[in-house]
């Protein structure tokens, strides 16, 4: 049962840690995990599962370094007690430990646990005796090496002093795990050499000392240096970054015998490693050799034959990076030509997967040339050796998948562009371009005959690429326009794609007028097409298109107007009252109202608006048309432009009168009105209003006492308790904690936000200890006025401290809506304190009676309360009498049951909704002040004790009387 | 050279999508944070990643014909690495996300960028990218199992093995190896004596006669248009990439539309240099965007003709040999008067139609490439037997109807 339970819980955690932790706390979950890991009854397969949250989210479960440290110590003791045959579990434990220590910065801080763990790992790595001979120890050893390597990767320089030891271990290991030692050794070597390059005056001697393990000569500032590098991420970064990257160097002179021998030994064995490990090892060694000019790159020569012929993507990649680092000092011109040919072949090899082929094409466009012409700023450039003839292996075909086809289209476009495509000549460039155009046409034909969504999207992407490179070639770009128009007429649902293409080409190709030409042509085909077969669907797409066309000042709009009047004038029943369509019509009109050629459009446009006003079968549309008509006929040209243009400026906050003009039609004005904008910085926050006592106010002093103050007998106490408890039969009785806040502006905010309206506050819980809160509306928030009060009604399920996330939506003066996040609201434990909700008729006597009744019930076994939930406890601290009275007055007065003048014993009763009580009897004994605590909810004990600790510590600090306090608590089972 | 996270997603043609396995590598994430500094974007929770990934792969909102975020023509779909645009508090762009997809599985990972993040480094400068691709491909092969088509139980059982497998191949985010198919490595392989080290890629000990098998498989593709203005194309690839002077089978395909009937005329000619001994040889003639075939009145000069009316497909099996003349023909009429419409295709409309040839010729290559058994040298103390073989295989071998328009398709035209 446990196993199923844990499998589900762990998978729920990994699916969404935030949702999982909202039902518990990270602290509690961690404690549960650790307890279960120690439990002998749990199987090891379950325990492996339990480690996965620690491996995947260590920082979430161990929020501080000290928790990380404790967790690590705990895990190490689990490791120590784990039998050697549970190999999988031991390996996973090592991984979890690595994750916890690295992610809580215990490693970078060289904490005790991390030192112990390092020692443990080294001990495992060195212990090469396999007692059982079944290879079990070997697996753990390999994992230990992996962990050491990760520690070194995350905290570079950590193992620099162990270089010789690690080298020796690597050489002695003959079983297949020599790979793990080689990877570790290589990384430590790389980091150590890097650190030397950062040392002023470091040279051959230092390098020799480092490799020989001669720590006495090793550089002195080792510790400081490695610590420094933790902050400096440069050491984590790859050193092979193309022609612009600079590599730090170590001047050693030509004699680096020791380093050379280490390198050649690593390289000699490299072919024994898996391709992935080989690639990583070669990359690290490439970095080492680039840092030490004393070692010639020729040390890699012997490996090249194998690397150049490889079919493994990572090995070829590492070879390219090597070429990038060493250029012609390792690779001849023939090698370069060969590698490029190989990349071309691999880019289209039918046996490779699509992502691999795309990657190879990417490598061609970032080819590390021996003598690069450009500085290689990360842009795609063609290698000089890539001729059209060679590249022709990569021409796009209709049988390619979309990504491959687009990648090839892009590459070939670059190739032909390089060759020169102007003129009708027979040059390779123009022949290639002709092919690309023909290919684009084939794609268009497929779209024309009803291709899938994927092929449509692919076609438009290819069209964009084509225009991006060749829009200056008139014969093709105008041909494409013509074909697109035909295509649109057959498939009007392509309107959004065409608008997107027009938008993007206009945006990216600022010098080209292609987009305008396309829109112009589309206007012609839309307005000249026979109206007879026009469906409602087509019409709505046409109007979308014409709206976009009307955005272009250069395009005359007479055709559009003629089209509009021809579709509205006949007694076309399809138009009779569709609101959407009416809105689309108005959308075009609205654009026309701000068109630069409005003067010439005035009469026909007025006719159309008037017709809509009188005949359109939808009142809303009629009204809007009337407004436009009025604006058009009464306002001067400048005013009209002024009123409407404001609505068109994008996201302009200074616009005040947007609502008037933009609400009428679908346009970006309306969109920006309807969109909720986001404010990155907090604009306002909730601060706690003055601390007034919560719960029932203590005003009935001296009112009629139905119960005698002093003579409360057990019988009476029972009656009191019964009466008191009867009130709770109504589940809503005293179930809320009311917290008052003020909503105030943050300091230094944009003046734009100083007057806010319709603020709607929304609260999100971070745990499930409380019921969801409803939203709160605040009519307005002005900077210069009194801050409005906000009252939160929290309904606890369990009255624990909590944090609330708060956000708000509000409106600014210009009518825009905004969304903002407020700083979190922290609800402290004591904020849930209330006076007991006694019946109003009761006076102090009644409450005293209640106190005694509860106290006796909790302290004894009987009573109505579930005894398992009851607990008593004692909290002691050193306080002088005056300090104690001050403390009681400051913190407990609203909840005080006894008389303040009765200094012998203070009785305090906190009620915490929905049903919990905490009772305090405070009395000064000879050695200390004793806080006797009784509660009917033992889970509140940690919270009350930390609360008491806080207030007494503060008091003590005030009184400069700082003795240790003591907390004892006893839970009855 | 590490990956920050790994996801395995299953779906059925874009529906019923779920994350079947995910793994985050916390220490790599820790490094990513130090490397990226203020530009760091954390890996969001599983569901968010899933949604963003589907949008990026064009699989989201399949019922909508245009979604700006998914279908923008500026979108760089041609790169193997995707950008995930994370919204909300930890917003930013997650890059480079690699994904490979086959059948019901999508595998994705996020390699570590171990270079300054601004300006964005080229993909080719990050070794972690090829490492991530190799890891994904290895996991895919493992999960799909032999045949590349997993049953749901087989898939589930292999997914359950992943934690143990990742402990071997990628314990802390740095890929070390790809999963081994079949039996797991036996750790009890004896360790070679002396200084000789054991290769990591050799997982077991072979106890038979040592054999070296050198197989040469050539694959031939062709596009034949039967049109003077358009050059026919073919290429051959295999372990050795090379060019051939002629395609092995030259064909002509002519269709004529006559009142709801198609007049079909096909000639296939085997080149004299090709050995007339096939393991199999078949021609497939599909017909799209028409009603089902009614009367099929077609004669072939050799071989056997099968008619699949539901699929609107003629299958002409030539058998193991062409006749002495090395030429076969098909002639006849097909009426499309069936009760239901046949299959549709957006490429093959009207008279755009093709014949696709499937054949295999054992023991020959077009390039003439062969491996000489006696010239293979093996540097090993065990004297292995050397076996060599060769074969020719067709793939994408199309003959287009010369009376219709054919799509432009292949790349050797400028050679």
């Amino acid at each position: 049962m446990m196993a199923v339970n844990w499998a589900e819980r762990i998978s729920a955690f990994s699916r969404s840690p935030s949702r999982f932790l909202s039902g518990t706390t990270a602290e509690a979950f961690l404690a549960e995990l650790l307890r279960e890991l120690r439990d002998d009854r749990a199987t090891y397969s379950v325990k492996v599962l339990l480690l996965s949250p620690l491996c995947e989210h260590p920082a979430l479960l161990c929020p501080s370094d000290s928790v990380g440290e404790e967790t690590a110590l705990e895990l190490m003791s689990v490791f120590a007690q784990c039998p050697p045959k549970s190999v999988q579990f031991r390996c996973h434990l090592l991984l979890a430990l690595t994750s916890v220590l690295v992610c809580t910065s215990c490693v970078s801080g060289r904490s005790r646990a991390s030192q112990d763990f390092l020692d443990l790992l080294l001990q495992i790595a060195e212990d090469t005796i396999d007692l059982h001979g079944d290879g079990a120890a070997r697996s753990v050893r390999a994992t230990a090496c992996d962990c050491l390597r990760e520690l070194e990767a995350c905290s570079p320089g950590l193992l620099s002093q162990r270089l010789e030891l690690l080298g020796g271990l690597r050489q002695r290991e003959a079983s297949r795990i020599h790979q793990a030692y080689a990877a570790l050794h290589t990384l430590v070597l790389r980091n150590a050499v890097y650190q030397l390059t950062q040392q002023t005056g470091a040279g051959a001697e230092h390098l020799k000392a480092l490799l020989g393990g001669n720590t006495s000569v090793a550089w002195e500032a080792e510790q400081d240096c490695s610590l420094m590098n933790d902050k400096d991420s440069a050491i984590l970064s790859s050193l092979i970054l193309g022609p612009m990257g600079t590599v730090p160097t170590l001047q050693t002179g030509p004699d680096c015998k020791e380093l050379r021998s280490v390198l050649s030994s690593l390289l000699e064995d490299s072919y024994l490693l898996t391709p992935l490990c080989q690639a990583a090892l070669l990359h690290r060694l490439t970095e080492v050799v680039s840092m030490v000019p004393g070692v010639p790159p020729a040390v890699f020569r012997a490996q090249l034959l194998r690397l150049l012929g490889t079919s493994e993507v990572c090995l070829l990649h590492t070879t390219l990076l090597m070429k990038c680092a060493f250029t012609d000092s390792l690779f001849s011109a023939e090698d370069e030509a060969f590698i490029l040919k190989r990349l071309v072949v691999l880019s289209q090899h039918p046996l490779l997967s699509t992502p691999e082929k795309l990657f190879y094409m990417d490598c061609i466009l970032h080819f590390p040339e021996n003598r690069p012409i450009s500085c290689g700023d990360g842009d795609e450039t063609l290698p000089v050796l890539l001729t059209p003839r060679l590249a022709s292996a990569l021409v796009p075909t209709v049988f390619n998948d979309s990504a491959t086809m687009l990648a090839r289209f892009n590459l070939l476009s670059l190739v032909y562009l390089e060759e020169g495509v102007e003129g009708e000549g027979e040059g390779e460039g123009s022949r290639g371009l002709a092919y690309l155009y023909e290919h684009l046409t084939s794609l268009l034909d497929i779209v024309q005959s009803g291709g899938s969504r994927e092929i449509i999207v692919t076609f438009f992407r290819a069209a964009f690429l084509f225009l991006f490179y060749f829009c200056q070639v008139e014969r093709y770009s105008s041909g494409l326009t013509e074909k697109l128009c035909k295509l649109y007429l057959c498939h009007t649902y392509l309107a959004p794609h065409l608008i997107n293409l027009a938008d993007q080409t206009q945006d990216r190709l600022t010098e080209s007028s292609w987009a305008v030409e396309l829109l112009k042509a589309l206007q012609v085909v839309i307005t000249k097409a026979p109206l007879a077969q026009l469906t409602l669907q087509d019409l709505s797409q046409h109007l979308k298109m014409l709206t976009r066309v009307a955005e272009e000042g250069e395009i005359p709009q007479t055709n559009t107007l003629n089209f509009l009047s021809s579709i509205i004038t006949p007694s076309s029943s399809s138009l009779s009252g569709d609101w959407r369509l009416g809105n689309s019509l108005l959308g075009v009109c609205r654009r026309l109202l701000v068109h630069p050629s409005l003067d010439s459009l005035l009469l026909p446009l007025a006719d159309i608006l008037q017709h809509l006003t009188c005949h359109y079968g939808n009142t809303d549309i009629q009204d809007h048309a009337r407004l436009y008509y009025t604006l058009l006929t009464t306002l001067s040209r400048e005013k009209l432009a002024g009123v409407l243009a404001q609505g068109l400026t994008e996201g302009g906050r200074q616009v005040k009168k947007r609502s008037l003009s933009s609400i009428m039609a679908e346009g970006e004005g309306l969109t920006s009105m309807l969109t909720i904008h986001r404010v990155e910085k907090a604009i306002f926050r909730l601060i706690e209003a003055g601390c007034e006592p919560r719960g029932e106010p203590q005003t009935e002093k001296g009112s009629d006492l139905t119960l005698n103050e002093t003579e409360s007998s057990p019988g009476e106490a029972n009656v009191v308790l019964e009466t008191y408890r009867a009130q709770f039969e109504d589940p809503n009785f005293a179930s809320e904690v009311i917290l008052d806040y003020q909503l105030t502006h943050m300091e230094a905010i944009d003046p734009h936000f100083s007057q806010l309206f319709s603020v709607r506050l929304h609260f999100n819980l971070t745990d499930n200890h409380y019921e969801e809160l409803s939203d709160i509306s605040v009519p307005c928030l002005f900077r210069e006025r009194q801050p409005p009060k906000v009252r939160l009604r929290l309904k606890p399920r369990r009255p624990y401290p909590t944090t609330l996330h708060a956000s708000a939506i509000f409106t600014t003066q210009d009518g825009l809506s905004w969304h903002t996040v407020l700083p979190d609201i922290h609800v402290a434990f004591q904020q849930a304190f209330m006076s007991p909700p006694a019946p109003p008729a009761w006076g102090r006597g009644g409450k005293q009676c209640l106190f005694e009744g509860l106290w006796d019930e909790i302290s004894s076994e009987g009573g109505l309360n579930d005894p398992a939930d009851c607990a008593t406890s004692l909290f002691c601290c050193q306080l002088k009498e005056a300090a104690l009275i001050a403390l009681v007055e400051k913190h407990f007065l609203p909840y005080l049951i006894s008389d303040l003048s009765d200094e012998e014993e203070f009785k305090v009763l906190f009620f915490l909704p929905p049903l919990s009580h905490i009772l305090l009897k405070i009395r000064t004994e000879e050695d200390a002040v004793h806080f006797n605590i009784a509660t009917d909810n033992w889970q509140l004990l940690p919270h009350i004790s930390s609360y008491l600790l806080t207030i007494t510590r503060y008091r003590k600090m005030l009184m400069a009387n700082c003795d240790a306090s003591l907390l004892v608590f006893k839970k009855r089972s | 050279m590490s990956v920050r996270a790994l996801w395995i997603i299953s779906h059925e043609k874009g529906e019923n999508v779920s994350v079947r396995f995910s793994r985050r590598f916390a220490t790599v994430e820790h490094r990513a944070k130090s490397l990226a500094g203020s530009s760091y974007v954390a890996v969001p929770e599983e569901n968010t990643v899933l949604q963003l990934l589907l949008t990026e792969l064009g699989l989201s909102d399949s019922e909508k014909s245009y979604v700006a975020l998914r279908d923008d023509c500026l979108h760089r779909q041609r790169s193997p690495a995707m950008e995930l645009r994370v919204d909300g508090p930890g917003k930013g762009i997650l890059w480079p996300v690699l994904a490979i997809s086959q059948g019901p599985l999508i595998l994705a990972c996020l390699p570590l960028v171990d270079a300054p993040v601004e300006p964005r480094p080229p993909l080719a400068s990050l070794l972690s990218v090829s490492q991530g691709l190799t890891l994904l491909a290895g996991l895919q092969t493992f999960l799909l199992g032999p045949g590349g088509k997993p049953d749901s139980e087989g898939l589930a059982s292999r997914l359950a093995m992943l934690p143990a497998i990742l402990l071997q191949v990628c314990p802390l985010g740095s890929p070390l190896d790809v999963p081994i198919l079949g039996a797991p490595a036996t750790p009890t392989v004896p360790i070679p004596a002396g200084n000789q080290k054991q290769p990591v890629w050799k997982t077991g000990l072979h106890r038979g006669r040592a054999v070296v098998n050198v197989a040469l498989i050539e694959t031939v593709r062709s596009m034949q248009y039967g049109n003077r203005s358009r050059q026919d194309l073919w290429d051959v690839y295999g372990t050795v990439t090379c060019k051939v002077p002629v395609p092995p089978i030259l064909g002509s395909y002519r269709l004529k539309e006559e009142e709801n009937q198609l007049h079909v005329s096909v000639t296939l000619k085997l080149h004299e240099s090709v050995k007339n001994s096939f393991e199999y040889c078949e021609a497939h003639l599909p017909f799209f965007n028409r009603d089902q075939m009614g009367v099929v009145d077609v004669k072939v000069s050799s071989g056997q003709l099968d008619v699949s009316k539901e699929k609107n497909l003629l299958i002409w099996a030539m058998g193991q040999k062409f006749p002495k003349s090395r030429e076969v023909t098909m002639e006849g009429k097909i009426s499309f008067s069936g009760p239901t419409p046949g299959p549709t295709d957006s490429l093959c409309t009207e008279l755009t139609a093709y014949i696709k040839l499937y054949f295999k010729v054992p023991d020959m290559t077009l390039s003439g490439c062969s491996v000489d058994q006696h010239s293979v040298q093996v540097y090993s103390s065990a004297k292995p037997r050397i076996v060599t073989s060769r074969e020719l295989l067709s793939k994408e071998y199309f003959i287009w109807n010369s009376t219709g328009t054919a799509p432009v398709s292949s790349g050797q035209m400028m050679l």
Side-chain angles (χ1 to χ4, degrees), chain A residues 59 103 233 236, chain B residues 4 27-42 112:
Chain A
C103 296
S233 64
L236 294 172
Chain B
R4 292 164 61 183
T27 52
V28 183
E29 195 63 21
H30 182 78
R31 280 189 270 155
K33 212 168 175 174
S34 327
L35 278 160
S38 57
S39 328
Y40 170 71
V41 180
L112 175 73

Side-chain angles (χ1 to χ4, degrees), chain B residues 33-341:
Chain B
K33 212 168 175 174
S34 327
L35 278 160
S38 57
S39 328
Y40 170 71
V41 180
V43 180
E45 289 187 359
E46 221 170 88
N47 268 337
T48 315
V49 172
L50 181 62
Q51 281 317 313
L52 296 170
L53 202 59
L54 291 179
T55 303
E56 211 59 18
L57 291 169
L59 292 171
S60 63
D61 296 310
S62 51
E63 72 289 349
K64 292 187 192 152
S65 69
Y66 181 83
V67 176
L69 208 60
R70 181 192 65 193
D71 299 330
D72 193 329
C73 66
L74 204 61
H75 198 299
R76 289 174 59 94
Q77 201 195 19
R78 58 199 153 89
S79 162
M82 297 180 291
E83 289 179 349
L84 303 190
R85 287 158 200 281
V86 184
D87 211 356
K91 77 180 201 180
I93 293 177
L94 218 52
W95 179 87
V97 177
L98 306 175
I100 56 174
S101 140
Q102 190 185 331
L105 281 186
I106 301 171
L107 288 88
C109 71
L110 175 62
L112 175 73
V113 176
D114 58 348
V117 283
E118 296 289 339
R120 179 179 288 183
L123 215 52
S125 71
L126 307 173
L127 188 61
S128 57
V129 171
S130 59
Q131 300 246 327
L133 283 175
T134 308
L135 176 70
L136 292 184
L139 289 173
Q140 185 185 48
T141 312
F142 170 77
L143 289 170
L144 290 173
K149 278 185 191 140
D151 54 305
S152 58
E153 279 167 36
L155 182 61
S157 76
R158 281 191 282 268
L159 280 167
M161 289 160 73
L162 275 188
I165 285 196
L166 283 183
L167 179 67
Q168 301 293 324
V169 303
C170 189
L172 286 158
S174 304
L176 306 174
D177 200 357
V178 292
I180 295 147
L181 291 173
T186 42
T188 46
V189 176
I191 298 159
N195 272 344
Q196 208 189 343
K197 293 190 179 188
Q198 192 183 8
V200 185
W201 27 264
K202 185 179 159 190
T203 58
L205 211 57
H206 179 65
R207 292 196 191 281
R209 172 96 201 266
V211 176
V212 172
N213 205 338
V214 185
L216 198 61
I217 300 172
E218 263 186 11
T219 307
V220 57
R221 298 189 291 188
S222 180
M223 286 283 170
Q224 298 177 27
Y225 297 106
N227 183 337
R228 270 172 200 285
S229 66
R230 187 167 273 176
Q231 207 177 334
D232 292 348
L233 317 163
W234 53 90
D235 66 1
V236 178
Y237 63 85
T239 27
V240 187
T241 304
C242 44
K243 301 277 170 286
V244 236
V246 288
I249 298 177
L250 264 173
S252 132
Y253 183 26
R254 298 179 68 81
L255 291 174
K256 243 200 270 160
E257 187 114 45
E258 293 170 348
E259 297 172 10
N260 205 29
Q261 280 205 116
L262 271 187
H263 187 262
V264 186
S265 159
V266 181
T267 312
L268 298 177
K269 216 174 189 174
L270 180 67
H271 194 268
E272 55 198 12
S273 68
V274 180
K275 202 166 87 176
N276 189 0
S277 166
F278 291 83
E279 194 172 310
Y280 56 84
C281 180
E282 275 185 7
H284 288 207
L285 292 78
F287 297 97
F288 296 101
N289 310 317
R290 295 172 186 277
D291 286 337
Q292 269 187 6
M293 292 189 280
V295 182
V296 180
D297 177 21
V298 177
K299 297 221 159 40
V300 292
S301 68
S302 163
Q304 196 181 341
L305 192 69
D306 278 334
V307 181
S308 156
K309 289 198 173 166
E310 315 80 68
K311 294 181 186 161
N312 259 12
L313 177 70
L314 296 183
I315 299 171
W316 180 13
M318 254 72 74
Q320 272 71 42
K321 263 186 188 321
F322 271 57
K324 275 233 167 79
S325 62
R326 290 183 166 251
E327 188 171 311
V328 290
T329 56
M330 172 193 275
E331 198 80 39
K333 284 176 184 167
I334 308 168
S335 73
F336 293 87
S337 52
T340 49

Side-chain angles (χ1 to χ4, degrees), chain A residues 467-478:
Chain A
L467 290 164
F468 184 76
Y469 292 113
F470 306 116
C471 70
Q472 73 284 8
V473 186
E474 184 66 26
R475 61 182 187 281
Y476 293 123
S477 59
S478 61

Side-chain angles (χ1 to χ4, degrees), chain B residues 350-410:
Chain B
E350 295 170 11
L351 284 177
T352 302
Y354 60 82
I355 298 176
K356 196 170 177 186
L357 287 181
Y358 297 85
F359 59 82
K360 181 169 167 182
V361 190
D363 198 27
M364 83 146 266
T365 51
L366 284 175
S367 59
C369 279
S370 63
V371 177
D372 175 13
Q373 201 170 321
H374 307 289
S375 316
V376 178
Q377 289 183 38
V378 180
Y379 299 91
S380 162
S381 48
K383 291 267 174 272
R385 195 156 60 93
I386 312 286
V387 180
T388 61
S389 68
R390 50 185 182 159
E391 67 185 38
L392 176 70
L393 204 64
S394 74
K395 187 179 185 180
E396 288 167 28
Y397 202 109
F398 289 92
I399 298 165
W400 292 90
N401 168 30
S402 55
T403 63
T405 48
V408 183
S409 64
S410 186

Side-chain angles (χ1 to χ4, degrees), chain A residues 611-631:
Chain A
H611 189 92
L612 288 175
T613 310
C614 303
H615 302 293
Y616 200 83
N618 181 297
T619 327
D620 190 40
I621 301 300
Q622 285 186 358
D623 286 351
H624 287 152
R626 185 173 303 117
L627 179 67
Y628 282 156
Y629 180 79
T630 320
L631 289 175

Side-chain angles (χ1 to χ4, degrees), chain A residues 387-649:
Chain A
T387 56
R389 176 166 283 266
L390 183 57
S392 68
L394 296 176
V395 298
T397 85
V398 291
F399 297 109
N400 296 143
D401 62 277
S402 301
T404 306
M405 201 276 282
L406 290 170
R408 289 179 171 206
F409 202 98
N410 179 55
L411 183 88
L412 269 290
S413 297
L414 282 166
V415 170
Y416 300 140
L417 200 63
E418 190 98 330
E419 290 298 308
V421 291
E422 296 292 348
E424 299 271 349
E426 275 299 289
E428 289 199 280
S430 50
R431 270 200 295 157
L433 176 58
Y435 176 83
L436 288 182
Y437 183 70
E438 206 179 332
H439 173 70
L440 195 64
T441 313
S442 303
L443 287 177
L444 187 138
D445 288 342
I446 299 175
V447 174
Q448 177 92 42
S449 44
S452 65
R453 174 165 67 80
E454 193 192 355
I455 193 90
I456 293 173
V457 173
T458 307
F459 163 70
F460 279 98
R461 284 177 183 157
F464 176 80
L465 283 176
F466 187 83
L467 290 164
F468 184 76
Y469 292 113
F470 306 116
C471 70
Q472 73 284 8
V473 186
E474 184 66 26
R475 61 182 187 281
Y476 293 123
S477 59
S478 61
L480 183 61
T481 305
E482 204 177 297
K483 285 183 197 297
L484 286 173
C485 288
K486 275 193 198 140
L487 178 68
Y488 172 72
L489 270 196
C490 299
H491 302 296
T492 54
Y493 58 84
L494 296 176
H497 290 97
L498 282 159
I499 292 174
N500 175 247
L501 183 66
D503 287 346
Q504 296 292 16
T505 42
Q506 196 165 39
D507 212 36
R508 300 285 150 151
L509 306 166
T510 41
E511 279 144 51
S512 160
S513 61
W514 185 83
V516 173
E517 294 303 320
L518 172 72
L519 292 168
K520 217 186 267 180
L522 283 165
Q523 184 199 35
V524 171
V525 296
I526 290 171
T527 55
K528 298 293 179 220
L531 289 178
Q533 306 103 331
L534 198 63
T535 66
L536 204 60
Q537 211 80 38
D538 290 343
L539 184 56
S540 110
Q541 301 288 351
H542 283 352
L543 291 172
K544 229 181 253 178
M545 204 54 120
L546 290 175
T547 311
R548 176 66 184 87
V549 172
E551 278 177 38
E552 298 302 327
E554 305 161 41
I555 304 182
Q557 299 293 323
T558 328
N559 285 342
T560 301
L561 278 172
N562 291 341
F563 176 75
L564 291 184
S565 32
S566 64
I567 55 164
I568 57 168
T569 38
S571 53
S572 155
S573 56
S574 60
L575 293 185
S576 55
D578 191 288
W579 183 83
R580 277 181 158 280
L581 196 69
N583 237 331
S584 309
L585 279 165
L586 286 173
V588 186
C589 294
R590 200 187 127 61
R591 280 285 171 196
L592 293 174
L593 285 173
V594 292
H595 199 270
S597 66
L598 181 64
D599 284 344
S600 61
L601 307 173
L602 206 71
L603 283 179
L605 183 56
D607 283 346
I608 289 166
L609 288 170
Q610 196 184 20
H611 189 92
L612 288 175
T613 310
C614 303
H615 302 293
Y616 200 83
N618 181 297
T619 327
D620 190 40
I621 301 300
Q622 285 186 358
D623 286 351
H624 287 152
R626 185 173 303 117
L627 179 67
Y628 282 156
Y629 180 79
T630 320
L631 289 175
L632 177 67
T633 50
T634 53
L635 289 186
S636 71
R637 178 83 207 274
E638 290 71 30
K639 272 193 184 157
L640 181 64
V643 168
L644 291 167
Q646 283 179 338
L648 297 175
T649 54

Side-chain angles (χ1 to χ4, degrees), chain A residues 682 684-686 743 760-766 792 803-809 819-825:
Chain A
F684 42 75
R685 61 181 160 182
L686 287 169
L743 188 62
R760 193 164 180 86
L761 297 165
H762 177 76
F763 302 92
N764 278 322
L765 301 173
T766 53
L792 294 190
T803 298
L804 301 173
H805 292 322
S807 60
I809 291 175
H819 177 267
T820 183
V821 175
L822 281 73
D824 284 349
I825 301 163

